[in-house]
Amino acid sequence: MLNMNGDTPNLDVLQNLEASVVRIWRAHPEMTDYVALRAYEAAFQHYRSELRGATPKPSALRGLDGETFEAVKAMCEFRLGRSVGNSDAAKSIPPVALDVIVDCLRKLGKSVEHNTKTGGRKGYLTFIDRFLP
């Protein structure tokens, strides 16, 4: 979502999460937007539970859905500052708050739904792939 000056709040976090999904898609071209949506929704439920003070339930996703969820979750953990990489660049990235992660996951779910409606079964994946190295 754009704010008044044209910036997208938390664009870096959104792009990091999308990059984790695109990496899976590039390895599995049969993947559809539905897999990305299920991964974002499962991560949203996980972190929303945590935000509410509850213990998140383990994900029931398996196969490609589970692999994509785990990739998204790993990126969430990284951006929360819970699993810092070894590089100096990774250590210099400031952690974000849990509510930022939850908000980003909500936005990404809506983006999947919108791009699937306008672009078909792989509309979202095709759309985000253009913006990621």
Side-chain angles (χ1 to χ4, degrees), residues 79-123:
R79 290 311 311 253
L80 287 165
R82 297 177 182 172
S83 62
V84 179
N86 293 330
S87 73
D88 289 336
K91 292 176 183 174
S92 69
I93 297 173
V96 299
L98 188 55
D99 63 324
V100 170
I101 292 293
V102 170
D103 186 53
C104 287
L105 291 166
R106 180 183 301 117
K107 287 178 184 175
L108 291 173
K110 289 180 181 180
S111 181
V112 173
E113 290 172 352
H114 170 77
N115 284 289
T116 301
K117 285 180 186 173
T118 59
R121 294 174 7 110
K122 295 185 181 187

Side-chain angles (χ1 to χ4, degrees), residues 55-67:
T55 301
K57 295 178 183 174
S59 171
L61 297 178
R62 301 288 176 256
L64 190 53
D65 293 358
E67 182 180 349

Side-chain angles (χ1 to χ4, degrees), residues 17-95:
L17 294 170
E18 289 178 325
S20 66
V21 169
V22 165
R23 275 193 294 278
I24 302 295
W25 180 49
R26 289 175 181 167
H28 299 277
E30 72 277 9
M31 183 174 160
T32 65
D33 290 356
Y34 182 69
V35 173
L37 181 60
R38 287 184 40 100
Y40 288 146
E41 287 176 343
F44 172 79
Q45 294 296 329
H46 178 91
Y47 290 105
R48 186 177 67 168
S49 290
E50 187 177 323
L51 187 62
R52 293 177 172 176
T55 301
K57 295 178 183 174
S59 171
L61 297 178
R62 301 288 176 256
L64 190 53
D65 293 358
E67 182 180 349
T68 307
F69 165 72
E70 290 299 329
V72 169
K73 185 178 171 203
M75 183 56 69
C76 290
E77 292 293 308
F78 172 74
R79 290 311 311 253
L80 287 165
R82 297 177 182 172
S83 62
V84 179
N86 293 330
S87 73
D88 289 336
K91 292 176 183 174
S92 69
I93 297 173

